[in-house]
Amino acid sequence: MIKRIGVLTSGGDAPGMNAAIRSVVRTCLHHQLETIGIRRGYAGLINDETVSLSGRSVSGIINRGGTILETARCDEFLTEEGQRKAKDAIRYHKIDALVIIGGDGTYRGAIQLWERWGVPCVCIPATIDNDLNGTDITIGADTAINTALEATDKIRDTATSMERVFVVEVMGRKSGYIAMQVALAGGAEEVLVPEREYDLEDMCHDICEGASRGKRSWIIIVAEGAAKAVDIADKITEITGLDTRVAVLGHIQRGGSPTAYDRILATRLGVEAVELLVNGDSGKAVGIRDGWVVSTDLHVAVKKKDQTRDVDYFYKLMKDVT
Ligand code: F6P
C-alpha cells in the first residue's frame, strides 16, 4: 500500500508545472498520503535533494511559471551508477511511488526506474514542444504559443509600419508545433518546420510576387529545428532585395504565468497521476484525448509523435488564408 509519493520535474521547464505539482500534493492530501518533493529532477534524486511538501507549500503557485522544485537535464541518470544512487535515495526516504513531470527524456528515465529498479512511476506530460504521444496536448504548449503570438503581433506592427520582412524564430528543435500554431494564429505568410521540407527559392518567388501586387510586409515563422532565422533572412535579402530583420524569441517562450488552459490541464492530469498510483497502476503517462483524461503505456507515450497529418493540414490551412 502506498503511503508516500515523491514528485519531481525534469528536463526543460514548462508553464503549468507548478499547477501540476500543486494538484499532485493536494490529491495526495485527499488520500492521506505524504508528498516528498525532489528538487532539480533526476539530478536531485541522485544527490538526495528532497523537501517535504504540505498543502501550504503549494499555495499561491498555480499562477506561477517555472517550477518551484526546479528542474535539470541530467546525463548521470543515464548511467547505471546514477540510477542506483537514485534508487537508494528513494528507498532511504521510504518513497513508495513517483509522479514524474516532464517531456520525452523524462519519460525514458521513468521507464528505467520502473522496469529496471521496480519503482512505481506515473508521468505527466509537460513540455512546450507538444511532441509526446498519449496526449493531444502537453502542459505548457498553450502558454508558449500565446507568448510567442503576442511577440509576433508586436513584430507585425513594426513590420507593416516599416515595410519589412521579419523572420521570427520560435522554439522547437524537433517539433514544429509552436511554429505552426503561431503562424496560423498570427496570420504569417510562411512557416518553416522540421517536419516539412521547404524550398527557399519558392518562398522568395512568392514574396516577390506579393511585392509586385503591392504587398509591403511579411512575417515568416521558423522553428529553431528547421533553420536558423538569420540564415533564412540573409537568403531572403539576397534573392528579393527586400529589407529583412530577424527576431529570435528564445526562452521567453518557456516563462510566464500559465494560461487558464494549462492550469486546468495540469490540475486534471495531476489528480489522475496520483489516482493511478493509489489504484496500483504504474509505467503509465497520463494525458488528454478528445477532452478526456486518459493513460498510456510509457513505451508508447515516449515514441516520437507523428505530426505529419497535423502539419500538412495546418500548413494548407495557413496558405489557403494567406
Ligand atoms: O524541450 C523544450 C525546449 O524549450 C525546446 O523547444 C528547445 O529546443 C529546448 O527546450 C531548449 O533547451 P535548453 O533550455 O536546455 O537550451
Side-chain angles (χ1 to χ4, degrees):
M1 205 172 109
I2 287 180
K3 292 196 183 120
R4 185 178 283 181
I5 285 182
V7 58
L8 64 86
T9 49
S10 165
D13 51 281
M17 278 182 161
N18 279 329
I21 295 167
R22 173 183 180 273
S23 173
V24 167
V25 172
R26 299 226 162 150
T27 310
C28 282
L29 282 173
H30 174 75
H31 287 283
Q32 276 127 38
L33 304 174
E34 272 181 74
T35 321
I36 302 291
I38 296 134
R39 294 187 52 242
R40 298 173 54 245
Y42 293 123
L45 207 47
I46 290 172
N47 299 315
D48 196 8
E49 295 176 59
T50 59
V51 52
S52 174
L53 293 176
S54 64
R56 179 77 48 84
S57 354
V58 293
S59 74
I61 67 166
I62 196 166
N63 56 328
R64 281 169 53 192
T67 157
I68 57 160
L69 291 176
E70 301 174 47
T71 183
R73 302 193 195 275
C74 178
D75 288 341
E76 195 184 349
F77 195 70
L78 302 174
T79 67
E80 183 169 342
E81 188 46 29
Q83 289 170 16
R84 192 182 302 281
K85 285 190 203 162
K87 168 71 179 122
D88 289 346
I90 290 166
R91 187 173 295 153
Y92 176 78
H93 290 285
K94 296 191 171 55
I95 292 171
D96 302 307
L98 283 174
V99 174
I100 301 181
I101 305 168
D104 59 344
T106 305
Y107 280 21
R108 272 189 280 279
I111 291 174
Q112 291 294 312
L113 274 178
W114 165 231
E115 292 187 344
R116 205 164 172 193
W117 304 94
V119 180
C121 295
V122 168
C123 288
I124 298 180
T127 162
I128 64 165
D129 291 346
N130 193 28
D131 57 351
L132 293 172
N133 264 317
T135 189
D136 290 342
I137 189 150
T138 54
I139 296 166
D142 186 63
T143 307
I145 289 163
N146 279 290
T147 302
L149 182 62
E150 200 184 327
T152 305
D153 286 347
K154 289 177 178 166
I155 289 166
R156 167 87 64 194
D157 290 345
T158 172
T160 44
S161 303
M162 295 201 67
E163 305 192 349
R164 280 174 171 164
V165 181
F166 261 91
V167 184
V168 181
E169 185 177 307
V170 299
M171 274 189 161
R173 264 199 290 254
K174 296 182 201 140
S175 165
Y177 185 78
I178 296 176
M180 196 55 93
Q181 301 300 307
V182 169
L184 196 56
E189 277 69 28
E190 190 53 81
V191 59
L192 310 185
V193 292
E195 296 91 344
R196 197 179 171 281
E197 285 189 11
Y198 54 86
D199 185 328
L200 278 184
E201 307 271 337
D202 257 13
M203 186 176 85
C204 290
H205 173 79
D206 285 354
I207 291 174
C208 290
E209 204 178 62
S212 69
R213 288 196 315 267
K215 191 170 170 54
R216 289 290 172 260
S217 70
W218 291 261
I219 300 283
I220 318 289
I221 306 287
V222 180
E224 63 178 332
K228 280 203 177 311
V230 275
D231 297 341
I232 302 296
D234 285 349
K235 201 78 190 154
I236 292 172
T237 309
E238 185 191 313
I239 300 178
T240 66
L242 290 166
D243 197 9
T244 308
R245 292 289 187 276
V246 168
V248 179
L249 301 187
H251 286 78
I252 63 160
Q253 294 160 95
R254 285 232 299 256
S257 181
T259 57
Y261 184 88
D262 274 330
R263 297 181 201 189
I264 292 165
L265 178 64
T267 302
R268 294 178 72 187
L269 297 186
V271 171
E272 183 66 8
V274 175
E275 300 285 350
L276 285 178
L277 290 171
V278 167
N279 292 322
D281 222 337
S282 179
K284 299 273 172 65
V286 293
I288 191 118
R289 201 168 285 140
D290 301 327
W292 294 98
V293 173
V294 293
S295 64
T296 308
D297 187 284
L298 271 176
H299 286 283
V300 177
V302 82
K303 287 213 178 95
K304 188 164 168 43
K305 194 175 193 175
D306 183 5
Q307 311 259 42
T308 327
R309 221 183 67 184
D310 283 4
V311 165
D312 289 348
Y313 164 70
F314 282 120
Y315 187 77
K316 182 172 179 321
L317 201 62
M318 192 205 81
K319 291 308 269 183
D320 286 352
V321 295
T322 300

